[in-house]
Amino acid sequence: MSAEPDGPEGRLRRFATIWSRAVFPVTSTSLTRPEFEELLLPLARRLRVALLARAFDAEEGRAVGAALVRVHCTDPEALSRALDCVEAYLVLYCGEDGPQEELRLRSSRLQHAMAAGFAQALRERTLGEQEAIARAALQAQGVVAQALHASEARFRAVFEGAAIGIGIADLDGNVLQVNGALQRMFGGGEGAFRARNVKDWTHAEDAPQVWKLYDELVRGEREHYHVEKAFYRPDGTVLWTNLTVSLLRDADGRPQYQLALMEDTTERRLLNLRLRYEATHDALTGLPNRTLFFERLEKVLAAGEGQRFGLCYLDLDGFKTINDSLGHAAGDRLLVEVADRLQSCATAPGEMVARLGGDEFVALTTGPNARHEVDELAARIMNALLAPVRIEGRELTVRGSIGIVEGAAGERSAAEVLRSADITMYRAKSAGGNRFELADPEADARAITRHGLTTALPAALERGEFFIEYQPLVHLGDGSVRGAEALVRWLHPQHGVLGPDRFIPLAEHTGLIVPLGRWVLEQSVRQAREWCERYGDGAPLRINVNLSPCQLTHPGLVQDTVDILERAGVTPQALCLEVTESALIGADDDLLKPLRRLAEMGVDIALDDFGTGYSNLANLRRLPVSVLKLDRSFTQSMQQFPADPVDLKIVEGIVSLAHSLDLAVTVEGVETGAQAEQLRILGCDTAQGWYYARPGPPERLHQLALVDATG
């Protein structure tokens, strides 16, 4: 039973029909067009299966490309027409109701795979033909030698019947005979060959060794050679060939003639050039792509002593906003316009512009004055971006951030140069954008270290590389230890012990702060229980744990805290969570809700680094805090005697206000006895700092239980 005309099989048949009509005129086959369509139908079915498969398989596309070669679609135009049909009609007739954008992307990938399979199959076929030519050359050498001595008739049969071009010349280069295949390749009669000497057939693209090999052969120093060589036809066009030249000797072994066998490779070379261009150029802008740019950069860097280079790495500022607001088509038009402007900036010898992908471009300049020229190139690029771009009736302002790297060849690899330029570009972007920055080795090293720490963070938590030190909280009235603040450290395998300032911002940026913070809370609460069990009533029953702003917004904060306390058998009153003042500035009720729930359970909430933000004292009434932690900047002047009276008044006012709101006051950074005494007189409740103890292991904390804060 035939397929429904509008069903999947019917639409597949229409796609195969369109494909066959497009390709058949440029195909070397004895089949009729309907017979050729039947050959393409299973190939179309394979493309449809690959298009709709759950997982993309490029092998299907490569197999279809190879199959085209097997059915004699070897003309470059046949591949071009086949790819055009796939691009225009595969999704339309075989995509069914799938997501169109994804199907078009998969169709594009299938086209690339088809081209790759086609090229590979054509190459294998060529290698096979070359091997056959080599065998034919050896065979012809023997046959011709025998024919010259035995039978002219047998020689003529071989000579004229060969499908490849054959020519015979004497050792002076005078052409004696050519067969019909060679005449057809050059487009001239035998008389035109006889009028020329072999040495006249030079071409501008001849490799240096071609004529050296020829001279060795006619002198009898070699028996044959094989090269790729171009020739000019009488009409001025170029013929590319695989050329094998062999030496023919007489019966006594003396050199007598030279035999040339030629295979026309012009069409295959043009196809390879086209595929090479497509593989090394950006499809949207026509600029060289990442592959070609790296080839050029590596060649420049390998040039040796005396060569210098300059590189500009450009990233458009705010390009994502254009894509999101106006659509990707408008974004593509903007990229094309930017590419044209960049191309106009790099016209001097040794300059090149490429698109790396997305909205990232690079410009390269070379020469002894590269240090000066790369600055001028960056300035030209910035000026070229000044004029607005008009798209869909809108004028869009184009801004860009550029990282510049300049140096001598041979000092760094291409990957290292591009990484430095990338880091420098992001430094320009973080400084506000619309500017360029010069590479700084020290800044690069810091960025690379940050990146290394960022990528190592997840594994570090799994491997147990983090540990906690504890700094005691001392009551200023009687000097007793009332608690301890948990401070996380990272024992890095290469960098040693890292403080939280080195990795907490990275953990917040990557989101790892949530599992890391949960681990710190769990370890700290467990330590509080161990202190209680080991030292009894003299143990610090309250543990202070810092809470990141990212943790405040995590939906599992309250439940995680409850679960940790219950598993450890510790009451909520033994826990104090410290939140920085800046994290709560302007906080809405949704952000404060989890803190209020924890406070209602009995967990103390401390406002850390108080005084470093806006210090909106009136805002304290709505915050669920029970402790204020004064920043050390308020008390630094108290290390000397007498203390600054203005600082004393400020601290006294804050303490008075806090106590009127039933808030306890803790002071950070106490380093001298004079400080501790002055803070006690001002009414502060607890303090911590190096005067009492530096952060250390939990075993050392109990030794301070009877420290006299005033002594």
Side-chain angles (χ1 to χ4, degrees), residues 500-516:
D501 58 312
R502 295 287 302 277
F503 62 86
I504 290 298
L506 304 179
E508 290 177 337
H509 179 70
T510 59
L512 191 71
I513 191 65
V514 173
L516 177 60

Side-chain angles (χ1 to χ4, degrees), residues 108-121:
S108 177
R109 295 173 67 187
L110 280 173
Q111 294 169 49
H112 286 287
M114 285 177 60
F118 184 91
Q120 177 66 24

Side-chain angles (χ1 to χ4, degrees), residues 249-265:
R249 299 179 181 271
D250 61 16
D252 298 324
R254 291 187 296 269
Q256 188 173 21
Y257 302 104
Q258 52 178 309
L259 170 70
L261 304 176
M262 295 186 193
E263 178 202 12
D264 185 351
T265 62

Side-chain angles (χ1 to χ4, degrees), residues 226-300:
H226 179 82
V227 293
E228 184 180 30
K229 179 168 172 29
F231 295 89
Y232 290 111
R233 292 190 178 102
D235 61 2
T237 60
V238 176
L239 167 70
W240 280 93
T241 69
N242 279 329
L243 171 66
T244 300
V245 183
S246 300
L247 181 66
L248 301 180
R249 299 179 181 271
D250 61 16
D252 298 324
R254 291 187 296 269
Q256 188 173 21
Y257 302 104
Q258 52 178 309
L259 170 70
L261 304 176
M262 295 186 193
E263 178 202 12
D264 185 351
T265 62
T266 306
E267 289 187 355
R268 184 163 66 244
R269 181 179 176 84
L270 292 176
L271 174 60
N272 289 336
L273 289 175
R274 176 184 171 184
L275 294 177
R276 164 68 179 171
Y277 180 88
E278 292 178 352
T280 56
H281 286 75
D282 177 51
L284 176 65
T285 64
L287 291 177
N289 61 12
R290 177 184 290 269
T291 299
L292 185 56
F293 172 74
F294 262 95
E295 289 180 5
R296 171 70 184 282
L297 181 59
E298 287 172 348
K299 186 178 295 185
V300 168

Side-chain angles (χ1 to χ4, degrees), residues 249-453:
R249 299 179 181 271
D250 61 16
D252 298 324
R254 291 187 296 269
Q256 188 173 21
Y257 302 104
Q258 52 178 309
L259 170 70
L261 304 176
M262 295 186 193
E263 178 202 12
D264 185 351
T265 62
T266 306
E267 289 187 355
R268 184 163 66 244
R269 181 179 176 84
L270 292 176
L271 174 60
N272 289 336
L273 289 175
R274 176 184 171 184
L275 294 177
R276 164 68 179 171
Y277 180 88
E278 292 178 352
T280 56
H281 286 75
D282 177 51
L284 176 65
T285 64
L287 291 177
N289 61 12
R290 177 184 290 269
T291 299
L292 185 56
F293 172 74
F294 262 95
E295 289 180 5
R296 171 70 184 282
L297 181 59
E298 287 172 348
K299 186 178 295 185
V300 168
L301 296 178
E305 187 176 351
Q307 177 71 283
R308 298 193 70 84
F309 72 93
L311 185 147
C312 297
Y313 192 117
L314 168 70
D315 184 271
L316 300 183
D317 298 334
F319 180 72
K320 184 178 185 299
T321 303
I322 295 175
N323 267 344
D324 293 343
S325 58
L326 300 182
H328 288 274
D332 287 348
R333 290 176 59 187
L334 176 64
L335 292 174
V336 172
E337 175 64 24
V338 169
D340 291 342
R341 296 186 185 186
L342 295 181
Q343 190 72 65
S344 68
C345 294
T347 56
E351 292 184 343
M352 171 190 188
V353 172
R355 181 188 179 204
L356 296 186
D359 59 333
E360 296 180 339
F361 298 85
V362 285
L364 179 67
T365 184
T366 59
N369 298 319
R371 185 189 303 274
H372 173 69
E373 291 171 356
V374 73
D375 290 339
E376 290 189 343
L377 179 58
R380 291 200 301 271
I381 292 173
M382 297 301 290
N383 289 331
L385 297 179
L386 287 177
V389 178
R390 190 168 185 83
I391 295 177
E392 298 180 357
R394 302 170 183 258
E395 282 195 350
L396 302 180
T397 301
V398 184
R399 293 161 49 93
S401 300
I402 298 178
I404 299 177
V405 176
E406 189 277 335
E411 294 180 350
R412 287 175 287 183
S413 68
E416 290 171 337
V417 169
L418 203 64
R419 179 175 62 182
S420 178
D422 190 23
I423 292 171
T424 308
M425 178 272 293
Y426 275 106
R427 185 152 50 85
K429 194 175 287 288
S430 63
N434 198 31
R435 57 188 292 146
F436 57 81
E437 294 279 352
L438 296 176
D440 177 3
E442 292 184 1
D444 287 359
R446 289 194 298 270
I448 292 169
T449 299
R450 283 197 303 272
H451 176 72
L453 293 178

Side-chain angles (χ1 to χ4, degrees), residues 472 474-475 477-481 691-693 701-711:
V474 177
H475 190 274
D478 58 13
S480 62
V481 176
Y691 172 65
Y692 303 105
L701 196 66
H702 73 283
Q703 301 172 5
L704 303 171
L706 299 178
V707 168
D708 182 2
T710 62

Side-chain angles (χ1 to χ4, degrees), residues 63-64 98 110 131 144 217 224 302 320 345 372 382 397 439 503 568 603 684 700:
V64 171
L110 280 173
E131 184 176 350
V144 171
L217 182 132
H224 59 83
K320 184 178 185 299
C345 294
H372 173 69
M382 297 301 290
T397 301
F503 62 86
V603 175
C684 296
R700 286 170 40 193

